[in-house]
């Protein structure tokens, strides 16, 4: 029987078993109760309360401004909605780099105050101490390598990472380090598909890709992008499953027209 057919809660263990069984893992972002309910009921394995909330919920240009308190608010709303998915929460910029004690404190706050199941953070060897300390408290950690948006001002561009040999080799080393330290999975963002497959084949923990091709163990997308709520963003890796921007705008325009024309409310829609 497939792991998928059971309505059991997804755990970090389930994900490793899925990789072993060759079953692909689905992951989507969600930041609020109503969206998370739909995502959970649709059978998504991992819900990521991503710091992309900074962009799609708050309208910031980058993920850097979002705070730990704001991430905890989003995460607790998501946790209240779910029955099956594993909920992973991004540690926001400034909450884990350079000070492993502070990193542990941030991760504990997320777990205690939101009820989420795991945290995610960006980077390799430079955040090793933070990862180890968080893991020492029994908190599962997901890594994130490649195009790590919290470092956008270092990169200066959102283009594909690790195309050059030196950066590709460093990425492979970092992935192996993250596995050795004890991360339960790694997100690889916007890197060549061949490199992502090489990483997925060399580690036993699941590799979840975004713009990293089909040779990895699972896929993640930002829900506002795949539903077409954001409509001005067209990276090659993005498949749109709906055009909700247009559908929602059309519905709202109809409502405005009905109010103006006095068609709404009608006799049946009043007391
Ligand atoms: O914050 C986010 O949505 C993410 C995904 C792009 C992986 O980190």
């Amino acid at each position: 029987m497939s792991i998928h057919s059971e309505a059991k809660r997804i755990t970090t263990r389930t994900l490793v078993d899925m990789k072993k069984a060759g079953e692909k893992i689905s992951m989507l972002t969600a930041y609020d109760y109503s969206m998370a309910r739909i995502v959970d009921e649709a059978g998504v394995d991992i819900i990521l309360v991503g710091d992309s909330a900074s962009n799609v919920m708050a309208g910031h240009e980058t993920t850097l401004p979002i705070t730990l308190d704001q991430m905890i608010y989003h995460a607790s709303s998501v946790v209240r909605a779910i029955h099956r998915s594993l909920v992973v929460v991004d540690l926001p910029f400034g909450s884990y780099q350079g000070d492993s004690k502070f990193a542990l404190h941030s991760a504990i706050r997320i777990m205690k105050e939101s009820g989420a199941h795991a945290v995610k953070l960006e980077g390799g060897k430079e955040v090793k101490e933070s990862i180890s300390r968080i893991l020492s408290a029994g908190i599962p950690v997901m890594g994130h390598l490649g195009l790590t948006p919290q470092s956008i001002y270092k990169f200066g561009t959102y283009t594909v990472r690790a195309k050059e040999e030196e950066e590709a080799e460093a990425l492979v080393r970092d992935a192996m380090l993250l596995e050795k330290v004890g991360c339960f999975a790694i997100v690889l963002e916007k890197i060549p598909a061949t490199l992502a497959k090489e990483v997925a084949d060399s580690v036993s923990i699941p590799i979840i890709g975004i713009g990293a091709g089909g040779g990895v163990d699972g896929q993640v997308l930002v829900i506002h992008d795949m539903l077409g709520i954001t409509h001005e963003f067209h990276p090659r890796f993005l498949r749109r499953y709906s055009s909700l921007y247009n559908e929602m705008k059309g519905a709202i325009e109809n409502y405005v027209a009905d109010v103006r024309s006095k068609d709404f409310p009608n006799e049946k829609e009043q007391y």
Side-chain angles (χ1 to χ4, degrees):
M1 185 167 55
S2 150
I3 290 165
H4 263 119
S5 59
E6 300 175 30
K8 273 182 21 191
R9 273 186 182 276
I10 302 289
T11 66
T12 55
R13 182 67 189 272
T14 321
L15 302 173
V16 176
D17 289 347
M18 286 174 78
K19 170 160 180 150
K20 274 195 206 136
E23 285 190 50
K24 297 282 185 185
I25 297 163
S26 58
M27 171 161 150
L28 273 180
T29 65
Y31 319 98
D32 68 272
Y33 174 85
S34 305
M35 195 73 98
R37 251 191 101 167
I38 302 171
V39 175
D40 180 71
E41 283 177 19
V44 167
D45 300 310
I46 308 172
I47 296 185
L48 173 65
V49 184
D51 58 359
S52 49
S54 180
N55 310 107
V56 295
M57 300 301 287
H60 292 296
E61 204 178 309
T62 72
T63 57
L64 276 67
I66 199 159
T67 66
L68 186 58
D69 284 337
Q70 288 165 341
M71 289 303 297
I72 290 170
Y73 168 77
H74 287 297
S76 27
S77 309
V78 166
V79 168
R80 282 193 284 274
I82 56 105
H83 292 103
R84 175 182 173 274
S85 311
L86 183 87
V87 179
V88 180
V89 182
D90 265 335
L91 279 164
F93 177 68
S95 72
Y96 63 92
Q97 298 97 333
D99 179 347
S100 63
K101 274 196 191 159
F102 187 57
L104 176 60
H105 175 74
S106 304
I108 287 178
R109 277 202 62 203
I110 288 181
M111 302 297 282
K112 227 182 193 3
E113 295 177 39
S114 76
H117 310 130
V119 297
K120 172 165 89 56
L121 52 79
E122 298 181 4
K125 67 175 190 316
E126 68 281 11
V127 288
K128 179 175 166 279
E129 304 304 322
S130 294
I131 296 174
S132 297
R133 206 180 267 258
I134 296 169
L135 285 166
S136 73
I139 301 172
V141 178
M142 176 181 269
H144 186 160
L145 299 171
L147 177 64
T148 45
Q150 291 178 15
S151 302
I152 190 57
Y153 291 117
K154 181 178 85 179
F155 299 142
T157 164
Y158 281 101
T159 55
V160 181
R161 300 308 310 172
K163 277 175 34 186
E164 307 301 329
E165 208 172 309
E166 200 181 324
E167 193 177 332
E169 282 171 6
L171 187 142
V172 173
R173 278 198 302 277
D174 274 342
M176 291 186 162
L177 177 76
L178 293 185
E179 175 181 39
K180 195 163 158 228
V181 172
C183 287
F184 72 92
I186 303 171
V187 167
L188 290 184
E189 180 162 354
K190 228 170 169 189
I191 63 167
T194 46
L195 176 63
K197 180 169 172 12
E198 185 192 323
V199 174
D201 291 346
S202 343
V203 296
S204 57
I205 56 173
I207 299 296
I208 315 289
I210 173 163
V216 291
D217 307 303
Q219 299 294 326
V220 55
L221 286 174
V222 169
I223 194 156
H224 289 65
D225 297 336
M226 60 85 76
L227 290 179
I229 298 173
T230 50
H231 67 311
E232 59 291 299
F233 180 58
H234 300 284
R236 190 201 298 193
F237 68 77
L238 176 61
R239 187 179 294 181
R240 284 203 199 284
Y241 288 84
S242 195
S243 312
L244 285 196
Y245 182 92
N246 293 330
E247 278 187 43
M248 290 168 83
K249 186 162 169 267
I252 294 164
E253 282 167 353
N254 287 342
Y255 165 74
V256 171
D258 287 353
V259 171
R260 285 187 183 149
S261 68
K262 301 181 188 155
D263 179 77
F264 176 78
N266 63 26
E267 291 210 339
K268 288 189 192 147
E269 292 162 330
Q270 62 189 16
Y271 299 98

